[in-house]
Structures are given as structure tokens and as C-alpha cells.
Amino acid sequence: MKSIVILISGRGSNMEAIVRACAAEGWGARIAAVISNRPGAAGLAFAAEHGIATAVVDHKAFAGREAFDAELQRVIDAYGPDLLVLAGFMRILTPAFTHRYAERMLNIHPSLLPAFTGLHTHARALEMGCKFVGATVHFVTAELDHGAIVAQAVVPVKAEDDEASLSARVLKLEHRMYPQAVRWFVEGRLQLGGGLVRQLDGVSQSFI
Ligand code: NHR
Ligand code: GAR
């Protein structure tokens, strides 16, 4: 049985989609813990209601990123995860941390990388007049939003869209794509090489 630890900062709807898919599809994996850097994160209640261990490591209680990441690592490692999943986790991680979980840490970013790394991606895409936007699942490296791409989802932008309508359209696809990508990882169906990720069954890594 593979062990998965999920990091969140807020709502946790992607975490919820992963928890539900893992149970419904009977993955050979369990969600060992859900950890938040924000004490009030809504996703913590969902996890607890589903019998999943929860923890809070509040970044505000630490003097710097190194100290926060060290404590986060200590709490994570108690669950011996095979995979660490960032699901709406909002703190930039130090190189020591990303190195420790290299090739076994995934993130979902709400843009078609390499476009719009960082924050406020939908607002920036609307400002640029983009006609398509999307989301990307990638391995996490020290360089923000630059790790190897596992899967991407694309959605059209409508003339009347605002940040809320656009992020809702993208989120629907995130909820399909992220559980699938996590399942591929836990079942050993992803191969990393030369900075690229291959799905070993030849299944499409694009979602529309
Ligand atoms: N850390 C590393 N090293 N590499 C990545 O690819 C990471 C990462 C940490 C988080 C998620 C990410 C995203 O998908 C992620 C990828 C937070 C920020 C940010 O600027 C940027 C990107 C992402 C998450 N955070 C502010 C900070 O100072 C705080 C913002 C807040 O608390 O609301 O850490 O977009
Ligand atoms: C998702 O859209 C995710 O792609 C994005 O935040 C939302 C989290 O929603 N992630 C980031 O912006 C990471 N910086 P959720 O908490 O309901 O999963």
C-alpha cells in the first residue's frame, strides 16, 4: 500500500477529489495525512470527517522559510509518504525541502505552464486577452512552477468571463486531471527522463 500525504492551504477541493477517487477506484494507496499551513483551512474538516489524520504547521509561527520547512518535513516524514501532493498549497518551498522529495512531489498549477507561473494566473490571463487557459500538474523542483509536466488541461475563455467564472471552469478539469495523475504516479505509470514525463501505457496526458 502506497502512502500519500497532501498539503493544502484552504478550500481543499482538489484534495477532496483525490480522496474520493482513491476510495471509489480502490487505488493501492491511502491518504495518510492532510497537512495545512493555515489553521482555518476548510479542507481540514473534510479530511477529519473522512478519518484522515490532519495536522497544522502554521508558517506564521516560524522565523523563516527554513525553520517552517524543517518542521513541515518532520511532520510529513512521520507518515513515511511515497508521494507528497500539493493541492492549493500556498507557501514557496526551500531547495532543501524540494530536494528531499525530488521526483515524488506533485503540484497542480492553475495555468498552462510555462505561461503564468506564480500567483493570480486567471486575472493575468484575462488581462492578456488569452483565448485558452488551463491547469498543469507538474513535479515540484526548487524553481517555482518549472518542474517536469505530467498533465495539462485546457479550457476556452468566453468574452463575458471574469476571474471567478474562469477559475470555476478550470477547477472542474483540475478535479478530473489531478486524481488521474496521482493514480498514475502511485501505480508506477509515470517515467521521468530528460525533464519530460511519459505515461507508460501511452494514455493521453492532455485533458479537454
Ligand atoms: N515551491 C517550489 N520550490 N517549487 C514549486 O514549483 C512550488 C513551490 C511551492 C508551492 C505551488 C504554487 C502554484 O502552483 C507551489 C509550487 C505559492 C506561491 C507564492 O508566491 C507561488 C506559487 C505556488 C504557491 N506564495 C507566497 C509565498 O511567499 C505566499 C502567498 C500566500 O500565502 O497567499 O510563499 O502556484
Ligand atoms: C486550485 O485552482 C489550484 O490549481 C490553485 O488554487 C486552487 C486550489 O483550490 N493552486 C494554486 O494557485 C497554487 N498556488 P482547492 O484548495 O479547492 O484545491
Side-chain angles (χ1 to χ4, degrees), residues 133-157:
V133 297
T136 304
V137 175
H138 64 94
F139 281 98
V140 176
T141 60
E143 197 182 348
L144 191 68
D145 298 329
H146 273 75
I149 292 172
V150 175
Q152 283 191 314
V154 66
V155 304
V157 180

Side-chain angles (χ1 to χ4, degrees), residues 38 65 90-93 98 107 109 119 141-142 144-145:
R38 295 209 181 115
R65 292 188 192 268
M90 296 309 292
R91 298 302 300 173
I92 295 173
L93 298 159
T98 57
N107 177 47
H109 180 73
L119 304 176
T141 60
L144 191 68
D145 298 329

Side-chain angles (χ1 to χ4, degrees), residues 4-208:
I4 302 170
V5 168
I6 305 181
L7 304 188
I8 64 168
S9 295
R11 179 177 54 187
S13 70
N14 277 292
M15 175 272 297
E16 190 174 328
I18 292 164
V19 168
R20 289 190 193 284
C22 180
E25 299 169 8
W27 301 357
R30 61 186 288 268
I31 314 306
V34 170
I35 303 170
S36 172
N37 67 302
R38 295 209 181 115
L44 290 170
F46 171 87
E49 282 160 19
H50 285 73
I52 299 167
T54 62
V56 172
V57 182
D58 184 349
H59 64 277
K60 292 193 185 117
F62 297 86
R65 292 188 192 268
E66 279 76 14
F68 167 67
D69 281 10
E71 175 60 10
L72 188 59
Q73 179 179 315
R74 195 188 64 74
V75 174
I76 290 166
D77 286 352
Y79 297 97
D82 299 287
L83 173 65
L84 193 54
V85 172
L86 308 187
F89 181 71
M90 296 309 292
R91 298 302 300 173
I92 295 173
L93 298 159
T94 58
F97 187 96
T98 57
H99 184 256
R100 172 160 186 84
Y101 304 103
E103 303 193 357
R104 55 188 179 107
M105 173 162 43
L106 294 173
N107 177 47
I108 191 160
H109 180 73
S111 80
L112 291 171
L113 291 173
F116 305 119
T117 60
L119 304 176
H120 313 298
T121 55
H122 298 308
R124 288 155 62 204
L126 284 170
E127 262 168 42
M128 294 302 294
C130 292
K131 304 309 173 209
F132 287 94
V133 297
T136 304
V137 175
H138 64 94
F139 281 98
V140 176
T141 60
E143 197 182 348
L144 191 68
D145 298 329
H146 273 75
I149 292 172
V150 175
Q152 283 191 314
V154 66
V155 304
V157 180
K158 297 178 185 174
E160 63 273 21
D161 270 330
D162 57 16
E163 216 181 324
S165 62
L166 200 52
S167 62
R169 193 174 307 125
V170 173
L171 193 65
K172 270 195 189 173
L173 278 181
E174 292 185 37
H175 293 166
R176 276 179 42 216
M177 172 169 67
Y178 210 5
Q180 180 60 255
V182 170
R183 184 175 181 176
W184 286 336
F185 182 92
V186 297
E187 294 181 349
R189 306 322 295 155
L190 297 177
Q191 185 180 63
L192 251 170
L196 300 178
V197 180
R198 199 157 73 88
Q199 208 291 344
L200 291 172
D201 308 301
V203 172
S204 174
Q205 291 161 257
S206 58
F207 291 73
I208 18 182

